[in-house]
Amino acid sequence: MPKLSSRYTNQSLAETFRLIADLLEIKGEVIYKTLAYRKAADNLTDLDRDINEVAKEGALTDLPGVGKAIAEKIDELLSTGKLKFLDKLAEEVPLSLADLLQIQGLGPKKVGLFWRELGITTLDELKAAAEASKLRDLPGMGAKSEEKILAGIAALARRSGRKPLGAAWPFAQDLLAWLRSLPGVTATEAAGSLRRMKDTVGDLDILAAATDSEPVMQAFVTRADVIEIIGHGPTKSSVEFTNGLRAQLWVHPPERFGTALQYATGSKDHNVRLRELALNSGYSLSEHALKRTADESEITCATEEEVYQALGLSWIPPELREDRGEVQAAKADALPALITTRDRVAELHCHSNWSDGKASIREMARGAAQRGLKLIVISDHSQSLGIANGLTPERLQQQRAEIEAVQADLGDSIRILQGSEVEIKADGTLDYPNKILAELDLVVASLHTSLGQPRAQITQRLINAIQNPHVDIIGHPTGRMIPDREGADLDMDAVLAAAAESGVALEINAHPSRLDLKDIYARRAAELGIPLSINTDAHAPQHFDLIHFGIATARRAWVTPEQVINCWDMDEILEWLKNRG
Ligand code: DGT
Ligand code: CA
Ligand code: ZN
């Protein structure tokens, strides 16, 4: 059941507004009354500032989608932790009913019906009623729909919400390769949140070009690893796989592949913005076609470039398509020259078997060189992280000798530096004295322990590290873990301000279970002139290949290579390190 939090974050506020919208719909309110709440929730989800700060400044009504009524509710929730309107609504409509909407194919009308007619308020009660055949006699219901509800409840138990990009992406690559091998398929492409490289995805959207869609769809829904067919149509089918992932396949003829790909890539908000622009320029844009409004004639687009070009825009990289200013930028021909994986020449945070890595320094350095890197920093854990076999000052000395030996052996193929990933301890001090930090070539400071500290305390703890002149990079700044842990309750405004002042770099940790900083924070950091560092945090050479997840996150943050240390020339990197002390 959605719970009300005592201290509101952007996300918990968004959830509260979604809950209100759901309850109003179950109660039977007309749709337009619920829309304002959903819109506010969506905007809160994407907001790149802490709502508490915005409220303090009295600037709530400046936010998109927030009118006077919503602003008052936000104020009330932030200042009292409660909302009279919601309390009253919850007296009329039990909160647990909102959970039932998670069941595929079950909308607020039916949930309201079960509640009023049979007093059902929970998933368990609904399941029991369906099993006892009590639903089939209600208006609009039957034995079939009862079965569907039971299947939906079972499916809900199997899947737990959104999936990490890191799990979805490799599976999608397999699906794409398989589709490409089917007869009649001339092109394939990922779409949806997957192509936009969002850190989590609801379902995979996959596109295939084929003149005859039927055999492709048939092959898709009868794959051996499909456990449920959610929908099966000529242009779109949706299935669930045994691994718990869901995918939607869109099949369109090659001559309209561009139009279809543009639509299926989204995001929905980007598409809405683009459709607006199309209408204003005399076109209509839909899932199936781009047409001139005047005579309904179609402009068939085999490629996405043609769609954007017809609307007077340069092609917009998928990672930017979140309606965060990209359409306006494309119109002004002012899109950023985004960073790519090829720009990265240095790995500044990785581990060897001196701490918890799986490979030797030599194996890590050779693996990095084989992948075209020019510089690698071995940054093993510091002494207090016992479970990761952190290094004492004495072992650091010994490690230095090994690094020098490997360097002599590998010669010019790669430069190896000695760094450390130094614990920011619970009391805010660093895990080595300054004297030792000064001897290291590069210092990454990270939070791993006591992440649950109160906001003021953990913010100050991180700022201590940011202000230490020996610290070069703050590793995975929030400590979040996708999908299970939200990260420390940091005051990001304060963290970013301190970083901008000290000149420290903030990491975008590329590991798909971290992607930390996330896109909106990384974008703000870059805008503030804070150097970014994208690292894989590799514990074995093959982890270097995860870099593209970090690069994608940076692209979602509108980041260019000049803003990322790992893309600088070796001389520039060394100069920067020297100046930091
Ligand atoms: P997800 O799956 O929740 O991670 O997010 P998406 O972005 O993949 O969204 P999804 O799977 O619901 O739909 C795939 C794409 O289809 C979406 O990115 C844009 C397009 N689309 C879906 N619904 C709408 C809509 O109502 N209007 C427009 N214009 N496009 C839509
Ligand atoms: Ca999707
Ligand atoms: Zn690390």
Side-chain angles (χ1 to χ4, degrees):
M1 190 191 303
K3 70 172 194 303
L4 303 180
S5 43
S6 51
R7 205 197 142 273
Y8 277 89
T9 62
N10 296 12
Q11 294 324 316
S12 57
L13 262 189
E15 278 165 29
T16 302
F17 284 131
R18 287 198 184 100
L19 174 65
I20 292 174
D22 288 341
L23 294 176
L24 286 172
E25 277 188 44
I26 291 168
K27 189 183 158 197
E29 282 289 7
V30 284
I31 288 290
Y32 82 86
K33 289 205 176 166
T34 68
L35 280 181
Y37 294 104
R38 294 209 190 280
K39 182 99 192 129
D42 287 350
N43 285 319
L44 279 165
T45 302
D46 284 338
L47 185 64
D48 65 355
R49 297 197 51 207
D50 183 349
I51 190 69
N52 293 280
E53 299 298 327
V54 181
K56 247 184 240 159
E57 291 168 20
L60 286 174
T61 48
D62 294 346
L63 297 176
V66 176
K68 190 158 159 288
I70 298 273
E72 278 170 11
K73 291 194 172 67
I74 295 178
D75 258 333
E76 190 186 341
L77 278 163
L78 295 183
S79 55
T80 69
K82 288 175 78 150
L83 185 61
K84 289 208 189 74
F85 176 76
L86 179 56
D87 290 346
K88 204 161 151 267
L89 186 59
E91 277 171 22
E92 296 174 64
V93 190
L95 292 175
S96 57
L97 284 171
D99 290 353
L100 305 188
L101 295 175
Q102 303 296 317
I103 300 167
Q104 173 90 27
L106 194 60
K109 280 220 174 73
K110 283 269 152 67
V111 170
L113 176 74
F114 301 155
W115 168 49
R116 275 186 294 274
E117 296 298 322
L118 301 173
I120 289 168
T121 59
T122 66
L123 269 172
D124 286 344
E125 290 169 3
L126 181 64
K127 188 162 177 239
E131 280 165 353
S133 308
K134 286 182 179 160
L135 303 180
R136 60 181 61 178
D137 297 324
L138 294 174
M141 294 289 297
K144 260 251 171 67
S145 36
E146 218 169 49
E147 258 168 53
K148 267 197 186 152
I149 285 176
L150 282 172
I153 294 173
L156 185 62
R158 273 198 309 275
R159 62 173 173 256
S160 58
R162 302 179 64 80
K163 301 292 179 187
L165 178 64
W169 202 82
F171 182 67
Q173 299 313 305
D174 290 348
L175 265 185
L176 285 165
W178 171 80
L179 272 172
R180 250 185 306 261
S181 73
L182 295 180
V185 173
T186 59
T188 60
E189 188 72 73
S193 51
L194 180 74
R195 184 165 181 240
R196 303 197 312 278
M197 298 295 273
K198 249 183 107 139
D199 50 15
T200 61
V201 302
D203 68 350
L204 312 178
D205 293 279
I206 304 281
L207 227 76
T211 308
D212 186 4
S213 70
E214 196 38 49
V216 181
M217 284 301 183
Q218 194 56 35
F220 179 65
V221 299
T222 55
R223 266 176 64 111
D225 54 357
V226 166
I227 55 163
E228 191 193 342
I229 301 174
I230 301 164
H232 184 182
T235 57
K236 236 188 282 181
S237 293
S238 185
V239 302
E240 184 172 327
F241 295 99
T242 44
N243 60 11
L245 290 167
R246 279 167 292 149
Q248 171 148 267
L249 175 68
W250 317 52
V251 183
H252 285 272
E255 64 272 19
R256 289 198 184 82
F257 192 65
T259 324
L261 179 60
Q262 195 292 313
Y263 180 89
T265 298
S267 66
K268 197 173 147 209
D269 290 344
H270 173 86
N271 286 355
V272 167
R273 179 75 59 192
L274 213 59
R275 205 166 45 212
E276 254 171 41
L277 179 78
L279 284 175
N280 290 337
S281 330
Y283 298 97
S284 74
L285 182 60
S286 73
E287 175 173 354
H288 298 282
L290 174 65
K291 291 182 178 167
R292 297 180 187 84
T293 324
D295 56 1
E296 293 264 299
S297 62
E298 182 180 350
I299 306 166
T300 48
C301 301
T303 66
E304 264 191 336
E305 280 83 353
E306 293 167 69
V307 179
Y308 285 97
Q309 197 180 26
L311 301 176
L313 302 175
S314 41
W315 178 80
I316 301 177
E319 296 93 333
L320 296 184
R321 301 185 198 170
E322 298 290 350
D323 190 26
R324 295 177 181 164
E326 71 281 4
V327 173
Q328 295 86 331
K331 210 169 164 188
D333 203 16
L335 286 170
L338 295 180
I339 185 173
T340 70
T341 307
R342 286 184 306 280
D343 294 320
R344 191 250 340 208
V345 293
E347 168 72 43
L348 306 179
H349 172 186
C350 67
H351 300 266
S352 74
N353 55 10
W354 278 77
S355 65
D356 62 349
K358 302 284 171 284
S360 66
I361 291 172
R362 168 189 294 271
E363 287 161 340
M364 293 301 285
R366 289 199 49 175
Q370 279 160 4
R371 289 165 176 82
L373 293 182
K374 302 279 177 252
L375 172 69
I376 180 176
V377 178
I378 303 293
S379 53
D380 276 311
H381 291 286
S382 60
Q383 51 192 350
S384 75
L385 207 58
I387 55 163
N389 193 24
L391 275 62
T392 58
E394 194 182 10
R395 286 183 68 220
L396 265 183
Q397 283 295 335
Q398 296 160 1
Q399 190 195 40
R400 171 74 76 174
E402 179 168 325
I403 287 176
E404 279 164 10
V406 175
Q407 178 74 78
D409 205 29
L410 296 184
D412 288 342
S413 64
I414 190 158
R415 179 78 182 265
I416 315 166
L417 296 182
Q418 186 186 34
S420 172
E421 182 173 21
V422 180
E423 284 305 297
I424 306 169
K425 294 195 288 185
D427 64 2
T429 61
L430 293 175
D431 199 14
Y432 292 128
N434 279 340
K435 182 174 161 298
I436 297 210
L437 297 178
E439 287 165 12
L440 290 161
D441 299 321
L442 185 148
V443 174
V444 180
S446 303
L447 300 168
H448 290 109
T449 57
S450 304
L451 288 169
Q453 285 175 340
R455 186 181 180 88
Q457 188 182 3
I458 199 154
T459 300
Q460 190 51 51
R461 181 176 162 204
L462 192 61
I463 289 177
N464 284 352
I466 288 171
Q467 290 174 338
N468 184 312
H470 300 294
V471 172
D472 303 299
I473 299 172
I474 300 295
H476 44 72
T478 74
R480 74 168 178 160
M481 283 295 203
I482 301 167
D484 298 322
R485 192 171 78 202
E486 250 197 61
D489 183 18
L490 291 165
D491 176 348
M492 280 311 278
D493 284 341
V495 167
L496 292 175
E501 188 172 328
S502 82
V504 80
L506 297 181
E507 183 175 72
I508 296 177
N509 192 291
H511 197 283
S513 65
R514 291 199 181 270
L515 299 178
D516 179 12
L517 294 176
K518 65 176 175 181
D519 53 6
I520 53 176
Y521 293 145
R523 184 168 177 188
R524 269 171 67 201
E527 281 169 359
L528 289 169
I530 298 168
L532 295 169
S533 181
I534 310 177
N535 299 301
T536 61
D537 203 351
H539 285 65
Q542 65 269 25
H543 296 160
F544 292 132
D545 298 329
L546 298 173
I547 189 67
H548 65 101
F549 291 115
I551 299 284
T553 300
R555 289 168 65 85
R556 290 179 56 82
W558 294 54
V559 165
T560 61
E562 304 77 52
Q563 296 170 317
V564 179
I565 304 176
N566 310 62
C567 304
W568 298 352
D569 288 341
M570 173 100 73
D571 292 346
E572 287 177 284
I573 299 178
L574 297 177
E575 183 69 20
W576 182 78
L577 287 172
K578 209 172 94 196
N579 291 337
R580 285 202 59 74

